[in-house]
């Protein structure tokens, strides 16, 4: 298949000009962002989005200006998790204004552009059976648009919540060549760690993107009555040594966190003293330290 750059003519659409102009806008927007962080896993359903939402809140509560890109175009969940599902996006000549959650965190998500709850994202292919050939190209295009055409303003942190799949980070790395780092999420199961390792190799060895560290999610369960910790997975399923060395924190399973995600309430603000909130705050501090040290080194 030819890329758009090789097309002999563009039927007057000036597609190369449009893409180049958008790429320029993207670089200008990123110039106002201090740190970009991708939250990824490779494995689905391990809590990437819930952790991204809570890290965004924790960073905001610590005085940072924070934007979040829901990079899951087909299965966006962050508008619901951050309580802005009913937000109406405002379009201005400078671009679209992001939705702003209660504590001030900014968000852009495909969910904010879909008409109804059950509206799926349909890529404009000849038939939907052909759509898979377009998916990756269209997803990158949508992502470029999200970053380039959103009026983010000055940001300390821009978090990107990636969909599952180890093939997603290359798209982001292409759009953001100086991606600040990656937070990798896994659960303790061997099945999850097997897939997550592939994503780590992709990030570290292939794309040369810094790994900030690993978050072990749903690591254990804390009894809400007696405070005792119970493992959620078998005792044999512990975090691999390679992951242990770069562990940012272990987040316990807390049904209240799931409920807060469903109702759009910021969990760490609502339940600041729970073991899960304390672990999330510890992860946030380590992410900030990572960037503080990086800044020190570059001085
Ligand atoms: N530590 C936790 N305690 C309780 N519930 C959690 C925890 N982490 C995540 N969840 C819940 O588990 C479910 C899956 O989490 P989430 O949607 O964040 O996963 P994901 O990795 O983003 O999934 P996907 O791969 O589909 O994007 C959600 O209902 C979320 O609220
Ligand atoms: Mg998700």
């Amino acid at each position: 298949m030819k890329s758009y750059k090789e097309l002999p003519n563009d039927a007057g659409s000036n597609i190369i000009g449009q893409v180049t102009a958008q790429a320029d806008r993207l670089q200008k927007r990123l110039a106002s962002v201090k740190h970009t962080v991708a939250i990824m896993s490779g494995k689905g359903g391990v809590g990437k989005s819930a952790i991204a939402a809570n890290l965004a809140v924790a960073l905001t509560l610590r005085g940072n200006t924070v934007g979040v890109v829901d990079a899951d175009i087909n299965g966006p969940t962050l508008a619901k998790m951050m309580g802005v599902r009913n937000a109406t996006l405002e379009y201005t000549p400078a671009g679209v204004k992001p939705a702003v959650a209660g504590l001030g965190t900014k968000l852009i998500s495909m969910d904010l552009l879909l008409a109804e709850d059950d509206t799926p994202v349909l890529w404009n292919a000849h038939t939907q059976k052909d759509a898979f050939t377009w998916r990756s190209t269209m997803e990158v295009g949508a992502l470029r648009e999200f970053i380039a055409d959103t009026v983010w303003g000055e940001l300390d942190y821009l978090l990107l919540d990636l969909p599952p799949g180890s093939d997603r980070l290359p798209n982001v790395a292409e759009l953001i060549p100086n991606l600040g780092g990656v937070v990798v999420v896994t659960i303790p199961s061997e099945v999850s760690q097997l897939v997550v390792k592939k994503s780590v190799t992709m990030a570290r060895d292939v794309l040369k993107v810094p790994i900030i560290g690993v978050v072990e999610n749903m690591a254990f369960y804390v009894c809400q009555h007696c405070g005792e910790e119970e493992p959620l997975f078998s005792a044999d399923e512990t975090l691999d040594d390679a992951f242990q060395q770069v562990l940012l924190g272990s987040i316990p399973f807390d049904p209240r966190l799931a409920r807060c995600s469903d109702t759009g309430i910021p969990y760490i603000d609502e339940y600041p003293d729970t073991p899960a909130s304390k672990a999330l705050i510890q992860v946030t501090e380590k992410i900030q330290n990572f960037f503080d040290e990086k800044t020190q080194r570059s001085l």
Side-chain angles (χ1 to χ4, degrees):
M1 190 193 285
K2 287 192 170 185
S3 91
Y4 66 85
K5 288 180 183 157
E6 297 163 316
L7 295 176
N9 72 61
D10 60 7
S13 67
N14 186 24
I15 185 159
I16 296 178
Q18 285 185 47
V19 173
T20 311
Q22 203 175 50
D24 287 348
R25 283 204 299 283
L26 184 136
Q27 291 315 319
K28 283 197 187 110
R29 297 273 186 221
L30 289 176
S32 314
V33 178
K34 283 195 192 132
H35 309 302
T36 44
V37 182
I39 319 294
M40 67 152 204
S41 170
K43 191 86 182 90
V46 295
K48 296 177 290 299
S49 301
I51 285 172
N54 279 286
L55 292 181
V57 168
L59 285 165
T60 305
L61 288 173
R62 293 168 71 84
N64 298 289
T65 46
V66 182
V68 184
V69 175
D70 185 347
D72 196 334
I73 309 293
N74 286 282
T77 51
L78 275 181
K80 186 167 175 64
M81 287 183 173
M82 293 173 64
V84 293
R85 245 195 123 224
N86 295 325
T88 311
L89 292 178
E90 193 188 329
Y91 297 87
T92 72
V96 63
K97 288 193 177 170
V100 182
L103 297 165
T105 318
K106 300 172 184 180
L107 171 75
I108 197 81
S109 169
M110 188 55 111
D111 206 15
L112 299 167
L113 303 169
L114 298 173
E116 307 285 343
D117 270 10
D118 51 5
T119 311
V121 174
L122 298 177
W123 301 117
N124 194 8
H126 180 56
T127 70
Q128 279 305 310
K129 273 201 307 197
D130 296 334
F132 76 96
T133 37
W134 285 104
R135 196 187 73 170
S136 185
T137 313
M138 302 296 269
E139 279 184 2
V140 177
L143 213 52
R144 186 188 296 112
E145 212 167 305
F146 276 178
I147 304 170
D149 294 344
T150 302
V151 187
W152 295 106
E154 298 281 325
L155 290 181
D156 293 309
Y157 288 90
L158 182 65
L159 307 186
L160 296 107
D161 173 33
L162 266 52
S166 55
D167 56 338
R168 302 312 177 95
L169 191 65
N171 291 348
V172 173
E174 190 192 323
L175 292 176
I176 309 178
N178 294 324
L179 187 65
V182 170
V183 171
V184 183
V185 182
T186 186
I187 55 174
S189 77
E190 285 179 16
V191 167
S192 170
Q193 293 188 61
L194 177 71
V195 177
V196 175
K197 273 182 200 159
K198 297 185 200 310
S199 299
V200 170
T201 310
M202 171 69 90
R204 189 190 52 211
D205 301 343
V206 181
L207 302 170
K208 315 278 185 220
V209 174
I211 308 277
I212 302 173
V214 170
V215 174
E216 183 189 24
N217 193 25
M218 307 193 200
F220 52 93
Y221 175 78
V222 183
C223 174
Q224 283 177 38
H225 304 291
C226 68
E228 196 158 323
E229 287 183 12
E230 290 284 339
L232 268 183
F233 292 82
S234 124
D236 302 337
E237 299 195 285
T238 54
L239 207 59
D240 195 272
D241 273 355
F243 288 160
Q244 285 284 2
Q245 283 167 19
V246 287
L247 186 64
L248 297 172
S250 296
I251 320 287
F253 182 88
D254 183 347
R256 291 167 294 186
L257 193 157
R259 189 67 198 135
C260 280
S261 300
D262 283 347
T263 50
I265 294 170
Y267 169 79
I268 63 157
D269 190 45
E270 189 76 4
Y271 300 104
D273 297 321
T274 58
S277 283
K278 287 180 181 162
L280 282 160
I281 288 163
Q282 180 199 316
V283 171
T284 310
E285 284 170 359
K286 288 191 178 173
I287 294 172
Q288 282 197 288
N289 289 344
F290 172 89
F291 285 109
D292 288 349
E293 283 165 19
K294 199 171 169 180
T295 311
Q296 285 293 328
R297 278 198 302 275
S298 65
L299 289 178

